[in-house]
Amino acid sequence: MGFNYALEKKKFDTHWALKKKVYRKAGMAAADIQLMKDFDWEFFLSERRFRMHTQPLPAECITENDEDSMSGLFKKFDSLKVTFSESDFSGRYGWVETIEDEELSRKLKALSIKDMELITLMVIDEYSQAEIARMDGCARNTVNKKLARIKKVLMEG
């Protein structure tokens, strides 16, 4: 993600020229105005550093044939490349087979079908607790309690 320093600095200076007038008109001391400007300047520099050193990951699906449109991070670090296909799963709860932590996988397999469905709705289908509560005809708090109980079972060691 680029950062056009000259353009952004010009915007910052223009914005602060207006702010300075407003603050002076309101009777604010020059030293206090300068402190506020210094604070905003530090934030400006922090934002610049962040934007200069951050690359967004592409939202679209990338295939091996898409090398040209691939983010530089994916080109440099093969470990970032992940393939995923729903055909990798055998059935609705096949995702449990992909869990590498053997103990966690064992505990997940021991859960009831209702608990597995709740986790699948949250993690795989990406439903919110409120949406699940509406589908089940219960309160959101009930879903939250079920998730807390499942978490407790999975965390027991």
Side-chain angles (χ1 to χ4, degrees), residues 90-104:
S90 58
R92 176 112 174 110
Y93 312 115
W95 59 269
V96 175
E97 301 298 327
T98 66
I99 305 291
E100 292 178 359
D101 183 331
E102 291 179 24
E103 184 178 345
L104 178 60

Side-chain angles (χ1 to χ4, degrees), residues 1-154:
M1 186 184 274
F3 187 84
N4 185 337
Y5 179 82
L7 177 64
E8 296 299 327
K9 172 79 165 80
K10 184 178 178 183
K11 287 180 189 177
F12 178 85
D13 290 339
T14 304
H15 180 72
W16 254 99
L18 294 173
K19 274 186 164 182
K20 194 173 190 177
K21 287 179 185 176
V22 170
Y23 291 152
R24 276 190 191 148
K25 202 175 204 179
M28 200 170 190
D32 293 337
I33 294 172
Q34 187 60 45
L35 283 172
M36 291 181 69
K37 183 177 181 182
D38 292 344
F39 179 83
D40 284 355
W41 180 247
E42 287 301 317
F43 181 79
F44 174 87
L45 294 175
S46 174
E47 180 69 14
R48 177 178 176 248
R49 279 189 300 273
F50 174 78
R51 291 183 51 199
M52 290 299 294
H53 296 108
T54 303
Q55 271 188 31
L57 295 176
E60 67 278 351
C61 181
I62 297 174
T63 63
E64 293 297 321
N65 302 332
D66 266 346
E67 282 289 321
D68 296 336
S69 66
M70 188 180 294
S71 165
L73 291 174
F74 286 121
K75 291 176 183 174
K76 186 172 182 179
F77 301 103
D78 279 337
S79 62
L80 292 175
K81 296 178 188 173
V82 177
T83 57
F84 171 81
S85 172
E86 288 187 24
S87 64
D88 293 342
F89 301 146
S90 58
R92 176 112 174 110
Y93 312 115
W95 59 269
V96 175
E97 301 298 327
T98 66
I99 305 291
E100 292 178 359
D101 183 331
E102 291 179 24
E103 184 178 345
L104 178 60
S105 179
R106 181 184 50 76
K107 288 179 181 180
L108 284 167
K109 289 175 186 174
L111 291 175
S112 70
I113 294 295
K114 284 184 109 176
D115 291 344
M116 287 293 292
E117 182 62 21
L118 179 59
I119 294 171
T120 302
L121 286 170
M122 292 271 315
V123 178
I124 304 299
D125 297 338
E126 298 179 356
Y127 284 105
S128 68
Q129 288 184 21
E131 292 169 325
I132 294 170
R134 264 185 255 119
M135 289 187 309
D136 285 351
C138 63
R140 184 176 174 268
N141 193 33
T142 304
V143 174
N144 192 32
K145 286 179 182 178
K146 288 178 184 179
L147 287 170
R149 180 183 46 77
I150 294 169
K151 182 179 178 181
K152 184 178 176 186
V153 168
L154 295 177

